[in-house]
Structure formats: C-alpha cells, structure tokens
Amino acid sequence: MPSNNPTIVLTGDRPTGKLHLGHYVGSIQNRLKLQEQHDNCFYMIADIQALTDNAANPEKVRENTTEVVLDNLATGLDPEKTTFFIQSQIPEIAELTVLFLNLVTLARLRRNPTVKDEMKQKGFGENVPAGFLTYPVSQAADILFCNSNLIPVGEDQLPVIEQANEIVHKFNSLYGETFREIKPSLTDTPRLVGIDGQSKAGKSLGNAIYLSDTPQEIEKKVMKMYTDPDHINLNDPGKVAGNVVFTYLDAFAPDKKEVQELKNHYQKGGLGDVKIKRYLIEVLEDFIAPIREKRESLSQDPSYIKEILIKGTLKARESAIETMKKVRHAIKIDHF
Ligand code: ATP
Ligand code: MG
C-alpha cells in the first residue's frame, strides 16, 4: 500500500560478540518477517554503543563487526531488502545525540531500568562511563536519524524505547512536530533465558548458545543446562516451569505435540534429564546446522561483506543528511 508516511524499520546489534539463540528468537525472527513486509528496513552495527563499555577494547569491537554481520546474513537477513550500515560511519547520529542530550536529565537516565541492570551487571557503580549512562540517548538518535518508527527488539530494550519516545515528545513540543512515535516489535519469546537459568542469555554474560556453535559446543552447553534441582531420582515428578531445557524446547522444537508429551511425562515422573537434554541437542543441531554452514561459506568472502556495508552506509547517510536539515532548521541552528 503506497503511503506518504511509510513504516521504517530499524534494528541492530552491539558488536560485542557473536550472536546467540536469544538474538534469534528475540529479534532476528522479526527482522526476517518485517523485511518481507516493508520497503524501508535498516540494520545497524552499533559499534559506537559497544565502545561505551568497551573503550579499552577497540579490537574486540572491530572484529565483532564482521561477526554480527555474518550472523545476520546467515539467518537470512537480505542486503537487497535490509540496509546494513555501521553506526560510527554516520556522523549525523553523533550530532543528533548531542542535541538530544539537552532533552533528558541525568536523574531520568539513572532511573532507566535497563541501564540500572546493566550497570549493576558490569559493576560500574559511580564510575560509570558517561557514554554508557547516556547510551539510551544515542539509541534514540540511532532510531530517529532515519525517521524509523518500528523497532524489532528483545524485552530488555523496552525501557530504552520508552525513553526514546520521551525524547520524541520533548523535541516535538519544543521545536514543532518533527519525529514520529516509536513502536517496539516484540516476538513470542521476547526474552530467552541463559543456559544457567539467569533471566537473559547475553553475549557479555557467557551463558548463551551461539548461532555458530559446533555440535560439540551445543552438546556441552545443553548438558550443563539448569533443569529442576529437586528432580533427583528418575521417578520423582519434575518441574517444567523454570526448567531451561523445556524453555528452549518451547522456543525451538518444531514438534509442539511431542514437547507436550515430554512435559507430561516429566511432570508425572519417570523421565530423566539426560533424555530431555538429548532431545534438545538434536533440535538445536537441526536449527543451527544450516545457519552455521551458510555462515562458514559467507566468511570466505570478506570483500562481499565490505561491499554490503559500504553500499548500505551510503544509503543510510542520505537519510541522515535529510533528517539533520530538518532538525537544524527546527532548532534554529541552520545558519548557512
Ligand atoms: P551485550 O551483552 O553486549 O549487551 P546482548 O546479548 O544483550 O549483548 P545486544 O547486541 O545488546 O545483545 O542486543 C541485540 C538485540 O537482541 C536487542 O534487540 C536485544 O533486545 C536482543 N536480545 C539480546 N539478548 C536477548 C535475549 N536473551 N532474549 C531476547 N532478545 C535478546
Ligand atoms: Mg544488550
């Protein structure tokens, strides 16, 4: 349907490590769906954001820039349908961030539940890098520089989207209607738990199964998975809620009926952890194998990856220049 106000989709990953199953179910599966439904889709490698807590590790961020692109291409994100670009190559995002910083307070940033959680996880305390504390502002600029309004994200990012919308409202009320309301796009599994049962599988947490893991790594991780600590003897009734093996089966097993039967049996007693783990290993290997193979073959051609990024970044830059014209005019800093 042609429209003067089309939906623009934007999503991204921090290049802090390879991508894992949480990324797939939390965000990538929606990226794949949305690129079929909308003409304007952007995928950003958030390297500037990754540096906010990795300033001393630029090599890590650089290396993982290629890794996250490979992961996305291997799962089916299509550079013909989705514009791939690198955050650091769009200087207008930094300019927009500086302007947005005036529209939020430090107190509000400190109250952001995602930032609070992540600061605790990283043990920053009062020594939090200013760039890290303000990353939601830079994320608002990532979203708004290309006028995007639909964002496939995991649940952990909802408070960041909420804060971006506050920036939209503040900007529009001070300088006139310029930006649109932003909507998150969530999947049925907006937060995949870690293999240790922790609330979120995260690449900085070391508790995830990666889209590039070998069959041996998958097996080792599933065998270590948190199940029901009270399920000691085979004939004891076992708990399904909070049992990571069943959480992953719910997310990845194609045969839902079989999963339901396993759950019933486990709850009644008589089904061992090793049996359900073996089943999950098979399910995950079937899911990951084609991604791993495609990734391997894509990694043989670095010039193809570079070409995608150069082309995409040039296209994203065009939007950035247009948006900044409007923004400078609205804020009355369009001097020359
Ligand atoms: P880091 O620990 O460096 O922050 P991360 O694993 O949280 O890494 P990000 O690059 O921050 O990954 O997130 C990319 C996208 O994937 C975001 O939309 C985020 O909400 C989503 N995501 C990350 N982890 C999960 C998860 N466990 N379940 C669902 N979605 C997730
Ligand atoms: Mg994260």
Side-chain angles (χ1 to χ4, degrees), residues 108-152:
R108 172 65 181 94
L109 284 163
R110 285 189 191 280
R111 274 202 313 274
N112 184 310
T114 304
V115 175
K116 253 165 91 175
D117 269 9
E118 291 176 348
M119 272 174 60
K120 209 159 124 201
Q121 215 183 73
K122 294 172 201 293
F124 281 145
E126 275 308 299
N127 294 322
V128 59
F132 188 83
L133 187 63
T134 55
Y135 94 71
V137 181
S138 136
Q139 201 160 307
D142 301 334
I143 294 170
L144 296 169
F145 89 89
C146 59
N147 201 17
S148 59
N149 62 341
L150 189 61
I151 319 294

Side-chain angles (χ1 to χ4, degrees), residues 199-214:
S199 69
K200 174 181 172 295
K203 45 176 140 61
S204 306
L205 299 169
N207 61 355
I209 296 179
Y210 293 89
L211 298 172
S212 48
D213 272 350
T214 62

Side-chain angles (χ1 to χ4, degrees), residues 50-298:
L51 284 167
T52 61
D53 55 328
N54 288 282
N57 281 312
E59 300 81 13
K60 169 179 154 186
V61 173
R62 178 68 180 247
E63 274 163 26
N64 283 306
T65 296
T66 313
E67 301 295 347
V68 296
V69 173
L70 285 172
D71 283 320
N72 275 278
L73 291 171
T75 55
L77 210 68
D78 179 351
E80 296 298 322
K81 298 176 181 155
T82 296
T83 301
F84 284 60
F85 71 96
I86 307 179
Q87 185 188 22
S88 61
Q89 304 310 297
I90 312 283
E92 288 78 7
I93 294 179
E95 186 179 355
L96 202 52
T97 303
V98 169
L99 298 168
F100 286 169
L101 276 168
N102 300 328
L103 310 181
V104 292
T105 64
L106 274 179
R108 172 65 181 94
L109 284 163
R110 285 189 191 280
R111 274 202 313 274
N112 184 310
T114 304
V115 175
K116 253 165 91 175
D117 269 9
E118 291 176 348
M119 272 174 60
K120 209 159 124 201
Q121 215 183 73
K122 294 172 201 293
F124 281 145
E126 275 308 299
N127 294 322
V128 59
F132 188 83
L133 187 63
T134 55
Y135 94 71
V137 181
S138 136
Q139 201 160 307
D142 301 334
I143 294 170
L144 296 169
F145 89 89
C146 59
N147 201 17
S148 59
N149 62 341
L150 189 61
I151 319 294
V153 281
E155 193 180 60
D156 63 299
Q157 288 299 307
L158 291 181
V160 182
I161 304 278
E162 192 183 321
Q163 190 149 22
N165 272 323
E166 287 171 21
I167 292 175
V168 166
H169 296 147
K170 185 90 188 193
F171 190 104
N172 289 349
S173 76
L174 289 176
Y175 308 121
E177 256 339 277
T178 307
F179 293 116
R180 299 183 287 181
E181 176 94 17
I182 303 158
K183 288 198 193 69
S185 162
L186 291 181
T187 67
D188 293 340
T189 314
R191 178 186 292 259
L192 189 71
V193 291
I195 57 169
D196 51 1
Q198 275 207 40
S199 69
K200 174 181 172 295
K203 45 176 140 61
S204 306
L205 299 169
N207 61 355
I209 296 179
Y210 293 89
L211 298 172
S212 48
D213 272 350
T214 62
Q216 294 74 24
E217 284 164 329
I218 296 173
E219 180 175 356
K220 212 167 117 202
K221 290 179 184 177
V222 172
M223 282 303 177
K224 275 202 318 214
M225 253 180 195
Y226 181 85
T227 55
D228 170 6
D230 298 325
H231 186 238
I232 298 162
N233 300 309
L234 179 69
N235 289 322
D236 290 344
K239 273 202 223 70
V240 163
N243 185 321
V244 181
V245 176
F246 284 108
T247 307
Y248 276 59
L249 284 175
D250 280 337
F252 296 99
D255 189 343
K256 302 294 171 211
K257 207 170 133 242
E258 173 92 36
V259 174
Q260 192 50 54
E261 281 164 15
L262 288 172
K263 282 183 183 172
N264 295 343
H265 192 175
Y266 193 80
Q267 281 168 319
K268 211 167 66 189
L271 180 60
D273 281 4
V274 172
K275 272 250 170 70
I276 54 168
K277 285 183 169 177
R278 288 264 159 240
Y279 182 62
L280 178 61
I281 290 168
E282 259 177 56
V283 163
L284 293 184
E285 175 55 19
D286 286 351
F287 181 81
I288 290 176
I291 300 174
R292 190 200 299 128
E293 276 159 35
K294 191 161 170 209
R295 198 182 192 288
E296 181 55 34
S297 92
L298 286 161

